[in-house]
Amino acid sequence: MPRQFFVGGNFKMNGSVKTIKEIIDNLNTAKIDPKTEVVIAPPSLYLLLTRDHLREGLEVAAQNVYDKPNGAFTGEISVDQLKDSNITWTLIGHSERRVILQEDDSFVARKTQAALDGGLGVILCIGESLEQREANKTIDVVTSQLKAISDRVKDWSKIVIAYEPIWAIGTGKVATTEQAQEVHAAIRKWLASTISQETSDSTRVIYGGSVSEKNCKDLAKQQDIDGFLVGGASLKPAFIDIINSRL
C-alpha cells in the first residue's frame, strides 16, 4: 500500500490571533489535494483557536510535549492535556530545541514514547549540522538519533520521520534533491535492518529545510520523500502550493 503524502506546517514562534485566523481561513477555503494529510503546528497559545476554526480533515499538532504526566512542571504541556484539547499530533526533537534548549537524544526518545503511549501521532525531527555533513557523518548522526527512539519504541506506525538538515533550516539553503533522497533512502534502509521491512515500507519520511513552492515539486518526485515539514513558507499562501506539490 502506498504511503500517504504528508505535509506539516511548523509556525514556530510566529503568528497572532489575526494572522493565524487568516492562515486557517486560507486552508479552509483552498482546494487541497485530498490524498495529502495536512497537519499544522501553531504556537501552544493558539492550539485551541486553531482546532476550533480549522475545518474537519485537517489536523493540529503541538510543537512540543513533556515526557511526564500532569504535575508540577511549570511551562510544560502534557500528552493528556493535548488529547483533552483534541490535538492529535506533536512535533518532537526539532533541531531548534535540540540545539538551543539542549534536548538530547534520550530526552527526545522519552517524549516520543510518552506521546505514542498516550495515543498522539509524532512528527519526529532528526538532522545533522553543517560540520557533521562536511565530516561525512550525516548517516551516522541521523541513525544514532533514530536508535535512541528504537531503544524505547517498538511500534512506529504513528511516527512520521522528518529529516531536516540543520544547515538548511531557515537559511534559504536547501539540500539538493539528490542529497535529500540519499539520506531518506538510508533512513529507510536503517528501518528495514533495525526494526522491520514492514516498518521501512510503511513509515513516512518527510523532508524539511527551506522547503518552498519553487523546490517542492522536484523533491516530491523522489522515491523515498513522502512529504514535507514546512517552516516559514507555512505562514504564507504558498503553503497551499506545497501541500499540492504532487498534483
Side-chain angles (χ1 to χ4, degrees), residues 15 53 69 95 106 117 142 170 206 220 229 232 236 243:
H53 288 83
S95 64
S106 175
D117 287 350
V142 297
I206 64 177
L229 182 57
K236 303 172 184 176
I243 291 171

Side-chain angles (χ1 to χ4, degrees), residues 89-247:
W89 287 85
T90 184
L91 273 67
I92 294 179
H94 194 280
S95 64
E96 287 155 5
R97 299 194 65 85
R98 290 181 187 262
V99 174
I100 299 168
L101 298 174
Q102 299 294 297
E103 294 189 359
D104 62 18
D105 289 350
S106 175
F107 188 32
V108 169
R110 294 197 306 274
K111 292 200 292 186
T112 300
Q113 182 182 22
L116 295 171
D117 287 350
L120 295 178
V122 171
I123 303 169
L124 173 66
C125 302
I126 61 173
E128 84 283 9
S129 67
L130 183 60
E131 293 77 16
Q132 289 165 333
R133 171 162 281 277
E134 289 177 342
N136 294 316
K137 292 182 178 177
T138 295
I139 306 304
D140 291 341
V141 170
V142 297
T143 55
S144 175
Q145 291 169 336
L146 290 170
K147 184 180 184 305
I149 306 300
S150 69
D151 287 344
R152 286 183 168 270
V153 171
K154 301 309 172 196
D155 181 2
W156 289 62
S157 61
K158 296 193 76 171
I159 295 177
V160 171
I161 298 170
Y163 167 61
E164 294 197 298
I166 298 170
W167 49 272
I169 297 174
T171 61
K173 296 179 181 177
V174 63
T176 65
T177 303
E178 293 76 19
Q179 284 174 324
Q181 167 59 24
E182 179 185 17
V183 178
H184 282 234
I187 290 168
R188 211 170 293 290
K189 181 180 178 183
W190 181 90
L191 288 170
S193 63
T194 307
I195 313 297
S196 70
Q197 186 62 53
E198 181 183 2
T199 298
S200 174
D201 291 340
S202 61
T203 300
R204 290 173 290 183
V205 184
I206 64 177
Y207 174 77
S210 298
V211 176
S212 72
E213 73 278 12
K214 295 181 178 68
N215 58 32
C216 62
K217 284 192 176 290
D218 283 341
L219 287 162
K221 292 174 184 173
Q222 300 306 302
Q223 179 180 349
D224 292 300
I225 296 179
D226 303 314
F228 305 110
L229 182 57
V230 185
S234 67
L235 303 167
K236 303 172 184 176
F239 187 45
I240 303 300
D241 296 325
I242 299 171
I243 291 171
N244 292 333
S245 57
R246 279 198 169 171
L247 287 179

Side-chain angles (χ1 to χ4, degrees), residues 62-104:
Q63 295 180 13
N64 182 47
V65 71
Y66 202 50
D67 68 327
K68 302 289 193 302
N70 294 347
F73 304 105
T74 301
E76 296 295 337
I77 298 177
S78 73
V79 172
D80 284 346
Q81 289 170 331
L82 293 177
K83 292 276 287 183
D84 184 52
S85 302
N86 201 25
I87 307 303
T88 52
W89 287 85
T90 184
L91 273 67
I92 294 179
H94 194 280
S95 64
E96 287 155 5
R97 299 194 65 85
R98 290 181 187 262
V99 174
I100 299 168
L101 298 174
Q102 299 294 297
E103 294 189 359
D104 62 18

